[in-house]
Amino acid sequence: MKTAIITSDTSVKHNTGLGHPENADRVSAVTEGLKKINNKNIIWKKNKLFDSKYLEITHSKKYINDVETSFPKKGLFFLDGDTIVSPESKKATLDAVGSIVTAIDGVQSKEFYNAFCAVRPPGHHAEKNKAMGFCIYNNVAVGAHYLLEKYKFNKVAIIDFDVHHGNGTQDIFYDNKKVLYISTHQYPYYPGTGGDKEKGKHNNIFNIPLAAGTTSEEYLNAYEFVLKRIKEFKPEFILFSAGFDAHKDDPLAQLQLTSKDFYDLTKRTLNLAKLYCDGKVVSILEGGYNLGALQKSTQMHVNALLEFN
Ligand SMILES: [Zn+2]
């Protein structure tokens, strides 16, 4: 069985302007790093088109319409202070959503065992009706809705290890008992949400706020609570909101993880995935802004995915 890397040429054409941390070099660094992994079990795929009805479960029709009419003919347009689109963003946003749909279909059809989507823009800050924090459509949320609607799953877990809290994903699933959203993140920090008292209507939100300066050892100890909650929930499918900005070299936050920690947390999660859901795991890129750290950390993450083939 294979591990798929899903990516799209449009990911590097989504222009956010000069000097923006969330830029095209990120996906180039990731794909260049993954190409260096010498493993015949990697399969590279492009996303396919998807039915827009799944996007309309996650976001309101008005919001989707506002986004679709925001793409400028030339230059840049600001959806919020730091969420910027360019003409090429129209395809990139849809391809990013399409990548997780393609990944899920491939796992379900057993074309491959698990998958990592190396795409941008990221998604976890995007709420039902709001773009923010570099995010336009909430890719992982559409993936979870797709699993519930198309494949009729009843228990989907989203694990978000990006250093920022995924306020958008929490917002979208706050009252959906079929989706367990678990996040580890620096707190208090952008975007302000993610306190441990935010639990969702059905106790389906589990936030693990971490202080600036949290070390590898402290982080991996905290991650045991993620695994404990997964054991209780017994998911039928696991999605990773995979941000790598908790790395010690990341310029946007102050956690102290090493690249190897992303291997460890992935491997520990996959051990449980094998137990509870036939190893069904799809991961999608969120943050990570030091190019070298991002490249190394995504290699570690994918190495763990490959070991479970
Ligand atoms: Zn982040």
Side-chain angles (χ1 to χ4, degrees), residues 124-125 162-164 245 286-289:
H124 74 151
H125 293 305
D162 188 280
V163 80
H164 303 95
D245 41 9
E286 299 283 0
Y289 304 98

Side-chain angles (χ1 to χ4, degrees), residues 26 122 124-125 133-135 160-165 189-190 243-246 250 252-253 286-289:
R26 297 180 61 244
H124 74 151
H125 293 305
F134 320 155
C135 301
D160 184 337
F161 59 80
D162 188 280
V163 80
H164 303 95
H165 181 241
Y189 202 52
Y190 182 89
F244 299 88
D245 41 9
D250 197 275
L252 261 55
E286 299 283 0
Y289 304 98

